């Protein structure tokens, strides 16, 4: 894991959870959910944001090690978070360069 970026992301999430979610996930359904949870109460917004960031960084590490779990994490709707940031762009199968 990129430790400096993760620490910065945690600090930003502690101050304003939707900004931390935006930095990981972009503008998608999970950001809207986090904004509503933060409006309902500061703690639910934090819980959702930290869960989303944990799944993102965990899936990213799994992808680097070649053991990415294909089952979706519950409660997360962003494909970018589900794949650890590896879900965009063209995927070329091995051996077809």
């Amino acid at each position: 894991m990129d430790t400096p970026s993760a620490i910065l992301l945690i600090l930003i999430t502690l101050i304003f959870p939707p900004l931390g979610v935006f930095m990981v996930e972009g503008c998608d359904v999970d950001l809207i959910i986090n904004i509503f949870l933060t409006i309902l109460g500061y703690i639910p917004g934090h819980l959702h944001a930290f869960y989303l960031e944990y799944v993102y960084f965990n899936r990213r590490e799994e992808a680097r090690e070649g053991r990415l779990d294909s089952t979706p994490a519950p409660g997360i709707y962003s494909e970018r978070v589900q794949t650890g940031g590896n879900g965009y762009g063209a995927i070329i199968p091995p051996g077809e360069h």
Side-chain angles (χ1 to χ4, degrees), residues 13-72:
T13 303
L14 282 172
I15 296 168
F16 188 61
L19 184 57
V21 171
F22 176 75
M23 291 176 70
V24 168
E25 189 254 337
C27 189
D28 205 359
V29 175
D30 286 315
L31 177 63
I32 295 168
I33 290 171
N34 190 265
I35 290 170
F36 285 131
L37 287 173
T38 304
I39 290 170
L40 289 174
Y42 208 56
I43 299 300
H46 276 93
L47 292 176
H48 178 260
F50 283 123
Y51 173 64
L52 192 116
E53 291 167 7
Y54 167 76
V55 170
Y56 175 77
F57 281 110
N58 188 40
R59 297 285 171 108
R60 196 162 113 179
E61 281 296 314
E62 288 176 352
R64 284 183 185 161
E65 295 171 0
R67 57 179 184 88
L68 182 61
D69 187 10
S70 63
T71 58

